[in-house]
PDB file of all heavy atoms in Angstrom:
ATOM      1  N   ILE Z 212     -21.127  -2.679   2.394  1.00  0.00           N
ATOM      2  CA  ILE Z 212     -20.713  -3.717   3.345  1.00  0.00           C
ATOM      3  C   ILE Z 212     -19.343  -3.366   3.947  1.00  0.00           C
ATOM      4  O   ILE Z 212     -19.136  -3.430   5.160  1.00  0.00           O
ATOM      5  CB  ILE Z 212     -20.629  -5.092   2.624  1.00  0.00           C
ATOM      6  CG1 ILE Z 212     -22.022  -5.576   2.237  1.00  0.00           C
ATOM      7  CG2 ILE Z 212     -19.913  -6.134   3.490  1.00  0.00           C
ATOM      8  CD1 ILE Z 212     -22.040  -6.700   1.213  1.00  0.00           C
ATOM      9  N   LEU Z 213     -18.419  -2.974   3.076  1.00  0.00           N
ATOM     10  CA  LEU Z 213     -17.050  -2.734   3.566  1.00  0.00           C
ATOM     11  C   LEU Z 213     -17.003  -1.486   4.444  1.00  0.00           C
ATOM     12  O   LEU Z 213     -16.307  -1.458   5.459  1.00  0.00           O
ATOM     13  CB  LEU Z 213     -16.066  -2.626   2.387  1.00  0.00           C
ATOM     14  CG  LEU Z 213     -16.030  -3.882   1.495  1.00  0.00           C
ATOM     15  CD1 LEU Z 213     -15.018  -3.713   0.386  1.00  0.00           C
ATOM     16  CD2 LEU Z 213     -15.726  -5.146   2.296  1.00  0.00           C
ATOM     17  N   GLU Z 214     -17.793  -0.471   4.086  1.00  0.00           N
ATOM     18  CA  GLU Z 214     -17.808   0.740   4.913  1.00  0.00           C
ATOM     19  C   GLU Z 214     -18.424   0.439   6.278  1.00  0.00           C
ATOM     20  O   GLU Z 214     -17.931   0.892   7.301  1.00  0.00           O
ATOM     21  CB  GLU Z 214     -18.560   1.867   4.203  1.00  0.00           C
ATOM     22  CG  GLU Z 214     -17.597   2.639   3.312  1.00  0.00           C
ATOM     23  CD  GLU Z 214     -18.263   3.386   2.176  1.00  0.00           C
ATOM     24  OE1 GLU Z 214     -19.490   3.625   2.245  1.00  0.00           O
ATOM     25  OE2 GLU Z 214     -17.542   3.712   1.207  1.00  0.00           O
ATOM     26  N   GLU Z 215     -19.468  -0.370   6.287  1.00  0.00           N
ATOM     27  CA  GLU Z 215     -20.083  -0.728   7.569  1.00  0.00           C
ATOM     28  C   GLU Z 215     -19.105  -1.526   8.428  1.00  0.00           C
ATOM     29  O   GLU Z 215     -18.985  -1.324   9.633  1.00  0.00           O
ATOM     30  CB  GLU Z 215     -21.365  -1.533   7.316  1.00  0.00           C
ATOM     31  CG  GLU Z 215     -22.170  -1.713   8.579  1.00  0.00           C
ATOM     32  CD  GLU Z 215     -23.596  -2.206   8.346  1.00  0.00           C
ATOM     33  OE1 GLU Z 215     -24.109  -2.080   7.205  1.00  0.00           O
ATOM     34  OE2 GLU Z 215     -24.168  -2.729   9.310  1.00  0.00           O
ATOM     35  N   LEU Z 216     -18.367  -2.417   7.792  1.00  0.00           N
ATOM     36  CA  LEU Z 216     -17.399  -3.242   8.522  1.00  0.00           C
ATOM     37  C   LEU Z 216     -16.320  -2.371   9.170  1.00  0.00           C
ATOM     38  O   LEU Z 216     -15.951  -2.577  10.333  1.00  0.00           O
ATOM     39  CB  LEU Z 216     -16.758  -4.232   7.543  1.00  0.00           C
ATOM     40  CG  LEU Z 216     -15.886  -5.310   8.146  1.00  0.00           C
ATOM     41  CD1 LEU Z 216     -16.697  -6.231   9.047  1.00  0.00           C
ATOM     42  CD2 LEU Z 216     -15.233  -6.132   7.039  1.00  0.00           C
ATOM     43  N   ILE Z 217     -15.844  -1.378   8.428  1.00  0.00           N
ATOM     44  CA  ILE Z 217     -14.835  -0.474   8.986  1.00  0.00           C
ATOM     45  C   ILE Z 217     -15.411   0.304  10.161  1.00  0.00           C
ATOM     46  O   ILE Z 217     -14.763   0.470  11.190  1.00  0.00           O
ATOM     47  CB  ILE Z 217     -14.341   0.504   7.901  1.00  0.00           C
ATOM     48  CG1 ILE Z 217     -13.530  -0.250   6.889  1.00  0.00           C
ATOM     49  CG2 ILE Z 217     -13.488   1.598   8.484  1.00  0.00           C
ATOM     50  CD1 ILE Z 217     -13.198   0.598   5.710  1.00  0.00           C
ATOM     51  N   GLY Z 218     -16.673   0.724  10.000  1.00  0.00           N
ATOM     52  CA  GLY Z 218     -17.347   1.457  11.078  1.00  0.00           C
ATOM     53  C   GLY Z 218     -17.519   0.600  12.327  1.00  0.00           C
ATOM     54  O   GLY Z 218     -17.514   1.098  13.450  1.00  0.00           O
ATOM     55  N   GLU Z 219     -17.663  -0.708  12.146  1.00  0.00           N
ATOM     56  CA  GLU Z 219     -17.830  -1.634  13.280  1.00  0.00           C
ATOM     57  C   GLU Z 219     -16.520  -1.844  14.039  1.00  0.00           C
ATOM     58  O   GLU Z 219     -16.507  -2.342  15.146  1.00  0.00           O
ATOM     59  CB  GLU Z 219     -18.290  -3.012  12.777  1.00  0.00           C
ATOM     60  CG  GLU Z 219     -19.689  -3.055  12.226  1.00  0.00           C
ATOM     61  CD  GLU Z 219     -20.737  -3.157  13.318  1.00  0.00           C
ATOM     62  OE1 GLU Z 219     -20.378  -3.356  14.489  1.00  0.00           O
ATOM     63  OE2 GLU Z 219     -21.923  -3.012  12.978  1.00  0.00           O
ATOM     64  N   ASN Z 220     -15.396  -1.587  13.355  1.00  0.00           N
ATOM     65  CA  ASN Z 220     -14.084  -1.842  13.962  1.00  0.00           C
ATOM     66  C   ASN Z 220     -13.272  -0.540  13.918  1.00  0.00           C
ATOM     67  O   ASN Z 220     -12.292  -0.437  13.198  1.00  0.00           O
ATOM     68  CB  ASN Z 220     -13.344  -2.946  13.187  1.00  0.00           C
ATOM     69  CG  ASN Z 220     -14.068  -4.280  13.273  1.00  0.00           C
ATOM     70  OD1 ASN Z 220     -14.109  -4.903  14.317  1.00  0.00           O
ATOM     71  ND2 ASN Z 220     -14.655  -4.717  12.169  1.00  0.00           N
ATOM     72  N   PRO Z 221     -13.705   0.482  14.679  1.00  0.00           N
ATOM     73  CA  PRO Z 221     -13.095   1.803  14.500  1.00  0.00           C
ATOM     74  C   PRO Z 221     -11.712   1.892  15.139  1.00  0.00           C
ATOM     75  O   PRO Z 221     -11.258   0.941  15.749  1.00  0.00           O
ATOM     76  CB  PRO Z 221     -14.073   2.722  15.244  1.00  0.00           C
ATOM     77  CG  PRO Z 221     -14.710   1.866  16.268  1.00  0.00           C
ATOM     78  CD  PRO Z 221     -14.695   0.453  15.758  1.00  0.00           C
ATOM     79  N   GLY Z 222     -11.108   3.062  15.000  1.00  0.00           N
ATOM     80  CA  GLY Z 222      -9.817   3.272  15.673  1.00  0.00           C
ATOM     81  C   GLY Z 222      -8.717   3.457  14.681  1.00  0.00           C
ATOM     82  O   GLY Z 222      -8.705   4.414  13.924  1.00  0.00           O
ATOM     83  N   THR Z 223      -7.827   2.485  14.629  1.00  0.00           N
ATOM     84  CA  THR Z 223      -6.592   2.638  13.853  1.00  0.00           C
ATOM     85  C   THR Z 223      -6.853   2.473  12.345  1.00  0.00           C
ATOM     86  O   THR Z 223      -7.957   2.161  11.927  1.00  0.00           O
ATOM     87  CB  THR Z 223      -5.620   1.514  14.243  1.00  0.00           C
ATOM     88  OG1 THR Z 223      -6.286   0.274  14.013  1.00  0.00           O
ATOM     89  CG2 THR Z 223      -5.185   1.628  15.672  1.00  0.00           C
TER      90      THR Z 223
END
Side-chain angles (χ1 to χ4, degrees):
I212 291 164
L213 301 181
E214 272 157 19
E215 190 166 341
L216 189 64
I217 290 171
E219 291 279 351
N220 296 290
T223 57

